[in-house]
DNA sequence: CATCTGACGACCG
DNA sequence: GCGGTCGCCAGAT
């Protein structure tokens, strides 16, 4: 399915590291497709050894609801990641997908915030 | 075809 | 730091 690339990347997340939906989506070339990434995670086939618990919302917060939230918290802690109030120190555990070929990363920025 | 909804994210007050 | 709003994408109703 089209979610394959997502799972493939998630599987590469090292133990003790995490990724955010947004970062995940961007790494897959889906800017603004954070929810799509989340959708993919929601469809993760069980028993596939996919560390879905290493994917958190922006700011390292657990966005899913019970009973999965508790499970995720438990799994993260079992990897040495401190979870406090449904959130972790994202800056400390965030993992950046490694590519085979290094490339020049240009500072893509979103359009200027338009006055509302 | 119109709306709602969700394992999202960023901005604003 | 928190809650509300808006933007975005896709599937469900």
């Amino acid at each position: 399915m089209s979610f394959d690339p997502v799972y493939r990347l998630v599987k590469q997340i090292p133990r003790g590291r995490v990724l955010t939906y947004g970062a995940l989506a961007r790494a897959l070339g889906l800017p603004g497709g954070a929810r799509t990434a989340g959708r993919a995670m929601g469809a993760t086939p069980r028993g596939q050894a996919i560390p879905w618990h290493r994917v958190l919302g922006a700011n390292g917060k657990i966005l899913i609801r019970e009973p999965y939230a508790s499970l995720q918290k438990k799994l993260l802690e079992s990897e040495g990641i401190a979870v406090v109030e449904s959130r972790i120190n994202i800056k400390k555990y965030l993992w950046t997908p490694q590519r085979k070929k290094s490339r020049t990363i240009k500072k893509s920025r979103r359009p200027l915030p338009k006055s509302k």
Side-chain angles (χ1 to χ4, degrees), chain A residues 15-79:
Chain A
R15 184 175 177 287
R17 288 307 180 90
V18 299
L19 212 53
T20 65
Y21 296 102
L24 178 57
R26 291 182 58 158
L28 294 172
L30 298 172
R35 294 198 317 228
T36 299
R39 191 171 299 292
M41 297 312 293
T44 47
R46 312 234 180 192
Q48 297 296 313
I50 297 175
W52 58 270
H53 58 278
R54 291 176 189 155
V55 183
L56 302 166
N59 202 41
K61 186 176 182 185
I62 295 178
L63 298 174
I64 58 182
R65 299 176 200 146
E66 300 300 334
Y68 300 104
S70 297
L71 176 59
Q72 179 167 35
K73 178 175 183 287
K74 180 179 163 187
L75 290 171
L76 289 172
E77 295 182 320
S78 71
E79 295 188 351

Side-chain angles (χ1 to χ4, degrees), chain A residues 99-105:
Chain A
R99 307 221 183 200
K100 289 188 176 185
K101 296 182 179 181
S102 59
R103 65 169 55 196
T104 304
I105 301 174

